[in-house]
């Protein structure tokens, strides 16, 4: 029998499961998953590159993080108008109650969001519909590259972690290193531990640190290659903030790339065991945090089995 491409198997799986999970949203999400990947430019605060923001703004790119407070305010104004309209039409009915709860949730989220946004992280993206490519990163006089190209959504877990000055931070599944670099851009943490079980991926992490971070800052980062599930046996209960960005089905890669695709038949068992691995890593991340510490769990998958179910 002819071998079915792994990408087709992945897409069939997504069509079957995500169409039920996302309903009417799935067709547009599917199109986004299959279209060309769009990158953001994470500015490197360690490089002498003050001209870069102006250069990117001339290309019509904007810092999506600094724009977020305005979008929150626009959402709140829109929600208030919808609430008023609902109140006129339905009195004090259930629709109004739901809207008030929605507004309350948003109001509660705003301070945390603003705390994250007040950090030093800046990431430039082109507007929706603009697929302009960024130029390759360039070195400054000391050889540090001026920005790092990454999927801008990958910054959201880092922002959610909201690193504060002198925090001890653990990035439990750190390689290839984009989120680790973003954590360092906050310029505030007391110490950063970056761990990844894969030695080859850890080498990529070292390369990124050497290309973007000066030696005196690299010295505050400890890079290790332990099995993250055993981290509490190494140094448990000591970190203020822990990022657990777990291995997952990596949906965009699975739907578009044959190379190293987790939907290949040889990797069926590995794929089926992912939620268990993710749960074990999350448990290790929780045990690595000190009492009262904070843990962010993240994936690059839409699967409820890998997200909500693991957290529950």
């Amino acid at each position: 029998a002819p071998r079915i491409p792994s990408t087709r198997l992945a897409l069939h799986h997504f069509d079957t499961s995500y169409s039920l999970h996302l309903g009417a949203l799935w067709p547009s999400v599917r199109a986004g998953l299959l279209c060309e990947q769009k990158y953001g430019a994470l500015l490197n605060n360690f490089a002498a590159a003050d001209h870069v923001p102006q250069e990117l703004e001339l290309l019509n790119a904007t810092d999506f993080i600094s724009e977020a407070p305005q979008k929150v305010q626009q959402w709140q104004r829109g929600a208030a108008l919808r609430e008023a309209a609902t109140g006129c039409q339905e009195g004090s009915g259930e629709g109004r109650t739901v809207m008030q709860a929605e507004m309350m949730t948003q109001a509660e989220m705003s301070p945390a969001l603003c705390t994250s946004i007040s950090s030093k992280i800046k990431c430039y993206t082109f507007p929706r519909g603009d697929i302009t490519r960024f130029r390759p990163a360039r070195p400054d006089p000391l050889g540090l590259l001026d920005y790092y190209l990454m999927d801008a959504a990958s910054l959201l877990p880092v922002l959610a972690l909201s690193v504060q000055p002198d925090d001890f931070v653990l990035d439990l599944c750190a390689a290839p290193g984009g989120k680790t670099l973003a954590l360092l851009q906050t310029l505030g943490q007391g110490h950063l531990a970056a761990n990844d079980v894969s030695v080859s991926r850890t080498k990529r992490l070292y390369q990124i640190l050497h290309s973007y971070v000066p030696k005196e800052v690299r010295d505050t980062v400890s890079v290790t290659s332990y099995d993250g599930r055993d981290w509490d046996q190494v140094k448990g209960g000591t970190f203020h903030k822990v990022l657990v960005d777990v291995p997952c089905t990596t949906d965009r890669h699975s739907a578009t790339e044959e190379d190293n695709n987790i939907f290949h038949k040889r990797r069926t068992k590995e794929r089926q065991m992912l939620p268990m691995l993710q749960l074990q890593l999350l448990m290790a991340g929780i045990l690595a945090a000190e009492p009262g510490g904070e843990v962010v769990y993240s994936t690059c998958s839409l699967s409820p089995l890998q997200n909500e179910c693991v957290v529950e």
Side-chain angles (χ1 to χ4, degrees):
R3 186 176 73 84
I4 300 174
S6 303
T7 49
R8 192 186 303 175
L9 285 174
L11 200 54
H12 174 72
H13 174 81
F14 297 157
D15 282 332
T16 304
S17 56
Y18 295 165
S19 60
L20 294 174
H21 176 54
L22 296 173
L25 287 173
W26 171 237
S28 62
V29 174
R30 188 184 196 272
L33 200 65
L34 293 173
C35 72
E36 185 176 353
Q37 187 165 8
K38 186 173 177 179
Y39 288 94
L42 171 67
L43 293 194
N44 184 15
N45 292 321
F46 301 112
D50 296 339
H51 64 284
V52 173
Q54 184 178 5
E55 176 190 332
L56 295 177
E57 287 164 10
L58 287 172
L59 295 173
N60 202 29
T62 56
D63 174 24
F64 85 87
I65 300 171
S66 63
E67 287 183 338
Q70 301 170 1
K71 293 185 177 179
V72 168
Q73 291 173 356
Q74 291 170 2
W75 187 95
Q76 288 173 327
R77 283 197 296 269
L81 290 171
R82 292 197 301 273
E83 194 274 339
T86 305
C88 291
Q89 294 170 7
E90 301 184 18
S92 57
E94 183 182 351
R96 182 173 181 175
T97 305
V98 170
M99 187 62 70
Q100 286 171 334
E102 188 180 44
M103 290 175 68
M104 190 180 300
T105 302
Q106 185 65 28
E108 290 169 353
M109 287 170 60
S110 298
L113 180 64
C114 291
T115 300
S116 298
I117 290 162
S118 67
S119 69
K120 305 286 187 181
I121 299 176
K122 295 186 181 298
C123 184
Y124 280 78
T125 57
F126 291 107
R128 170 178 271 184
D130 184 344
I131 56 170
T132 303
R133 287 183 173 271
F134 290 98
R135 63 162 173 78
R138 294 172 183 159
D140 72 354
L142 295 177
L144 298 176
L145 297 177
D146 52 7
Y147 56 63
Y148 179 77
L149 296 180
M150 64 190 302
D151 189 317
S154 295
L155 282 177
L156 299 180
V158 174
L159 293 173
L161 203 59
S162 190
V163 175
Q164 302 301 310
D166 301 322
D167 274 348
F168 274 51
V169 183
L170 169 63
D171 188 353
L172 191 62
C173 309
K179 294 181 180 68
T180 305
L181 180 62
L183 286 166
L184 287 170
Q185 298 305 313
T186 60
L187 304 174
Q189 73 289 329
H191 177 75
L192 175 62
N195 178 75
D196 198 277
V197 68
S198 168
V199 175
S200 61
R201 284 164 58 89
T202 303
K203 289 179 181 177
R204 169 67 177 148
L205 172 59
Y206 273 116
Q207 290 172 354
I208 287 176
L209 292 176
H210 278 82
S211 298
Y212 288 88
V213 182
K215 185 180 185 305
E216 60 271 21
V217 179
R218 291 202 305 270
D219 289 343
T220 69
V221 183
S222 59
V223 179
T224 54
S225 296
Y226 297 115
D227 185 330
R229 293 171 290 185
D230 301 327
W231 184 268
D232 62 296
Q233 300 172 24
V234 180
K235 197 182 290 185
T238 56
F239 292 93
H240 302 104
K241 304 286 175 70
V242 180
L243 176 59
V244 187
D245 184 58
V246 293
C248 64
T249 48
T250 320
D251 292 354
R252 179 190 291 278
H253 177 86
S254 294
T256 57
E257 300 285 341
E258 284 295 317
D259 183 46
N260 200 30
N261 194 310
I262 199 165
F263 280 84
H264 193 284
K265 287 184 177 181
R266 288 197 304 266
R267 302 184 70 185
T268 300
K269 183 73 172 177
E270 178 187 352
R271 187 178 77 250
Q272 291 171 343
M273 292 301 293
L274 271 176
M276 180 57 70
L277 171 64
Q278 293 160 345
L279 175 61
Q280 292 168 333
L281 287 167
L282 176 54
M283 292 291 287
I286 291 169
L287 292 171
E290 67 171 14
E294 297 179 31
V295 178
V296 168
Y297 173 84
S298 61
T299 77
C300 43
S301 169
L302 298 167
S303 166
L305 280 175
Q306 299 175 62
N307 292 297
E308 294 92 329
C309 292
V310 170
V311 173
E312 286 169 11

